[in-house]
Amino acid sequence: MVKTDEHMLKVKKQLIEQSAKVEAAEIRRKQREAKKYGKALQVSRKIEKDKRKKDELESISKWRKNQSLQKDMEKEEELLSF
């Protein structure tokens, strides 16, 4: 069965449109995945930053407490030395 040139052009056009749709869908899928990955990376970095901040604040509070204890001990030693 022989097809006309007109019919073959129609078929070719449909194939091109279909492949363009597939490519567009693939691009959208990759963009969605990149967005999800970026979001997950952002969340993990925020968690890590918050953890570092908490550790630093704890370290500072321990240092302050230690400093105040040392001052108290020095004051006691001064009082005892008299």
Side-chain angles (χ1 to χ4, degrees):
M1 184 165 179
V2 178
K3 304 288 182 188
T4 62
D5 288 338
E6 211 175 280
H7 184 266
M8 291 309 290
L9 287 175
K10 229 189 254 187
V11 170
K12 185 177 179 181
K13 183 180 174 185
Q14 287 176 348
L15 287 173
I16 291 171
E17 287 176 358
Q18 184 179 6
S19 65
K21 286 180 183 179
V22 169
E23 285 182 36
E26 186 71 21
I27 290 171
R28 286 192 306 269
R29 184 185 61 80
K30 285 181 181 180
Q31 287 176 340
R32 277 194 309 268
E33 288 176 0
K35 183 179 178 182
K36 286 180 184 178
Y37 175 74
K39 187 70 171 178
L41 188 62
Q42 183 181 18
V43 167
S44 68
R45 285 183 180 168
K46 185 180 183 325
I47 290 171
E48 184 178 316
K49 181 181 173 185
D50 291 344
K51 184 178 181 284
R52 267 197 321 260
K53 184 177 179 181
K54 180 182 175 188
D55 291 343
E56 288 174 0
L57 290 175
E58 286 178 0
S59 172
I60 290 170
S61 67
K62 285 180 184 178
W63 179 80
R64 284 181 181 167
K65 186 175 182 181
N66 191 15
Q67 290 295 319
S68 67
L69 289 176
Q70 285 181 350
K71 286 181 182 179
D72 290 344
M73 291 176 75
E74 289 174 3
K75 286 180 182 178
E76 286 179 16
E77 287 176 6
E78 284 180 17
L79 292 176
L80 292 177
S81 66
F82 286 120

